[in-house]
Amino acid sequence: MSLTVNLNITPLNTHFNPKPKTHKTPTFLTTPIYHSNKLTHKNPTFLTHHTHKKMTSSHVIKSSLIDPDGGVLVDLIVPEDQRGLKCVEAEGMVKVGLTKIDLEWVHVVSEGWASPLKGFMREDEYLQSLHFGSLRIDGCRVNMSLPIVLAIDDETKERIGGDKDVALVGPDSNTVAILRSIEIYKHNKEERIARTWGTTAPGLPYVEEVITPAGNWLIGGDLEVLSPIKYNDGLDSYRLSPKQLREEFDRRQADAVFAFQLRNPVHNGHALLMNDTRKRLLDLGYKNPILLLHPLGGYTKADDVPLDVRMEQHSKVLEDGVLDPETTIVSIFPSPMHYAGPTEVQWHAKARINAGANFYIVGRDPAGMGHPTEKRDLYDPDHGKKVLSMAPGLEKLNILPFRVAAYDTVAKEMAFFDPSRAKDFLFISGTKMRSFARTGESPPNGFMCPGGWDVLVKYYASLQAAPSVVSA
Amino acid sequence: MSLTVNLNITPLNTHFNPKPKTHKTPTFLTTPIYHSNKLTHKNPTFLTHHTHKKMTSSHVIKSSLIDPDGGVLVDLIVPEDQRGLKCVEAEGMVKVGLTKIDLEWVHVVSEGWASPLKGFMREDEYLQSLHFGSLRIDGCRVNMSLPIVLAIDDETKERIGGDKDVALVGPDSNTVAILRSIEIYKHNKEERIARTWGTTAPGLPYVEEVITPAGNWLIGGDLEVLSPIKYNDGLDSYRLSPKQLREEFDRRQADAVFAFQLRNPVHNGHALLMNDTRKRLLDLGYKNPILLLHPLGGYTKADDVPLDVRMEQHSKVLEDGVLDPETTIVSIFPSPMHYAGPTEVQWHAKARINAGANFYIVGRDPAGMGHPTEKRDLYDPDHGKKVLSMAPGLEKLNILPFRVAAYDTVAKEMAFFDPSRAKDFLFISGTKMRSFARTGESPPNGFMCPGGWDVLVKYYASLQAAPSVVSA
């Protein structure tokens, strides 16, 4: 198995050309690294073709496994024939600078992951998100647990004055989007942090890197994105939009799609539960359940494994046959990570509804981390799945709670934990796994497929070889 | 006007006999102080009579101006004929001690103010309250913005062991209630505080007095309250339950009920907006709008004016004709105060739905206070009404936003603020008002009716005369 993915999605010219990522790209990665997602190699025109088929065949029902929130998938990319005019118009507007992470949010919103949200939140949406984890839209309630907001400083607010529209400019100074019918309101950082994370303790990664340095105002409005956001990091072709994913699920004639959100390498415990989930869905009578293995591709904290390394690791997991490429789609979820536990897991699930997944796997302590100042988990490890199962707007999604997997020292493989023989099981945390890989120590046989493990070992070796670059 | 209220509600024997309040009761208060609420003087048997009438006349529709949350008003008081047996049963159970404020919550829940909540929250309800400000009940969503929880310490948890039911014991050691089918779960105070108040800054009154000293566990379950909660402070007859209020609205043939929550003395600005609201409702075609003037009667912070003084002040406002006794009902809302701004105002409104009010007046910065450590309001003064207007489960309530009233130095009366002649208006804050009353200085003529003002002046004088008692 060594198929290069060719999505055959015509790259659109874009003003956006982000700088290379600042973490060290391991030297052994020179070409696109993910080889197992056989999306289109047999039919390079499937997307267009399928769009046509949808209107004439029974396949039309497939992309309605689950409706996007609000009924219609939001698409904020300006059509090509209007792009020139809009760019000219934007040049006449006050410019508002975006950080790298702001731009990730523009990407997320532009493709409809946050449907029915059509831009950065105005105050009404922001308050509903903070207080209710959801928005009331036309009498219905959709989930919206994270505030998706854009901060500006006093000087920018002053420059905007009474203008109604502004132009958004990426970190490379290219104009990326127009924000229409803007509303500027106070950025009460303390309240935002407290209500999003349930703590204001210092040391929350997203807070320290994004919120604390941000301005004291938030600017909401409707986005018009001048061209699709690209990162030019060799991974853009794996960044399928919700529309593209829905089309692919149709093409594969999926009758169930189960999403697995992750920001870590896949070990055999993860694989066990994904394969077990597929089995359970088949037992329930589904004929063709498709796994959406959906690594998060936006901002992650410094000690997480970088996206490109994870993508290569995931490709090895499929090459080694731990997951079945025929029934798996690997794609990148472009959202930044908050590490906000039960609040954030709702966002992770909601975004996958918009991408067409009708089943969502949730594990222990999703989107959690250690408390930044106390020696304990920040969140109760069970709260994520409990909150998810009760969240407004997620009623239509099937939540599949995780059975805990651990290393069975008797069977010498990852297995579902059996409390009746607890002493036979070894729990290997993410921290422990990273420590193994860093020191070159092998984890127990059967913990992870050898090809996947090698990717991690090489990554950590490259870090140690070039510490000054890493810390840059 | 000097009618003594006679509610003619047979007092029920109760084990509960709370200690007198610790603040100084001004010496000029010797008898029940509220004289203007002409509930029953013409027909002392109206409650029974009316219950009968409801079943035989068209009046039956009246208590359905607005349905209680969940459809049925919760009533957790054990019927008298079962009381003996339940008391015997409770004596065999593990005892869990209640603080004075816990007991106020037992009162609140027992009468159905929190309908459809039937006891202290279990973890599922607690998490929904913290994350969504609402509960999903049988597919419907009801508002529930404040966690209504009971904390226990490690020792109590140990004593309970695996028991299914416990007895709740008031501060005076009398058994008050049974809590059935209990669930014990972690009391993560930091998260509760952050998500409820949007800050974890030290100095929040309810946090310091209630949460910080409380145990590290919460115990949820279904309440059976052995007899109605009474305070024996001369004000019990003004504590009408939601059921009693609904019956009274029926008796008065109200076709609209507008509730005004307050924890401060009524000045002429308040009166202006209440009278203006009535006028607006009449203009809308309502024939008999009734005002529910509904002072909060539970825990308040130390520098707020105590309940008994406020009740006397309110009575003077009606005696002086500032509000019309014929179209006003004054009653006590037994809830403790959180000072949690936009989160708490939802609770204040939701409880009034259960009491039968279909209109709710909301002003600037409801349930707000100054930030405990920074020189600013803790909440944006507009957020309360914004959040209230968007809150899940409150869609059926008519929210009436407050127009700001201030002292018009030209007209020499409280008037709606006119921004076109802002310099003519004087804003008199609660702090400023208390400072006037404390120093014996008169506020501008027309700020408050003289009788009401006298009550405040005498209260503050009594504080200064007996400072040692006050600080006890």
Side-chain angles (χ1 to χ4, degrees), chain A residues 12 38 235 253-254 278 330 360 440 455:
Chain A
L12 298 164
K38 305 196 301 180
L235 298 173
Q253 306 201 10
R278 178 171 159 82
V330 187
Y360 186 84
V455 174

Side-chain angles (χ1 to χ4, degrees), chain B residues 351-366:
Chain B
R352 273 50 175 244
I353 289 177
N354 285 334
N358 56 344
F359 289 85
Y360 186 83
I361 302 175
V362 58
R364 185 188 175 278
D365 200 17

Side-chain angles (χ1 to χ4, degrees), chain A residues 123-134 136 141 143 183 186 188 190-192 194-201 340 342-343 346 371 373-374 376-383 386-395, chain B residues 123-134 136 141 143 183 186 188 190-192 194-201 340 342-343 346 371 373-374 376-383 386-395:
Chain A
E123 193 174 39
D124 275 3
E125 293 158 332
Y126 171 69
L127 288 172
Q128 290 185 76
S129 170
L130 281 190
H131 282 274
F132 313 129
S134 58
R136 188 164 66 201
R141 195 156 283 283
N143 192 269
E183 179 185 292
K186 272 185 231 151
N188 184 332
E190 181 190 53
E191 183 170 2
R192 176 180 172 195
R195 295 196 191 277
T196 303
W197 279 271
T199 177
T200 58
T343 298
Q346 298 169 66
H371 192 287
T373 60
E374 298 172 24
R376 62 172 175 93
D377 287 332
L378 177 51
Y379 303 106
D380 183 311
D382 289 333
H383 281 187
K386 286 185 184 173
V387 167
L388 193 61
S389 70
M390 301 184 290
L394 299 184
E395 297 83 358
Chain B
E123 193 174 39
D124 275 3
E125 294 158 330
Y126 171 69
L127 288 172
Q128 290 186 76
S129 170
L130 281 190
H131 282 275
F132 313 128
S134 59
R136 188 165 65 202
R141 195 157 284 281
N143 192 269
E183 179 185 292
K186 272 184 232 151
N188 183 332
E190 180 190 54
E191 182 169 3
R192 176 181 171 193
R195 295 196 191 277
T196 304
W197 279 270
T199 178
T200 58
T343 299
Q346 298 169 64
H371 192 286
T373 61
E374 299 171 23
R376 61 172 176 93
D377 287 332
L378 178 51
Y379 304 106
D380 183 311
D382 289 332
H383 281 187
K386 285 184 184 172
V387 166
L388 193 61
S389 70
M390 301 185 290
L394 299 185
E395 296 84 357

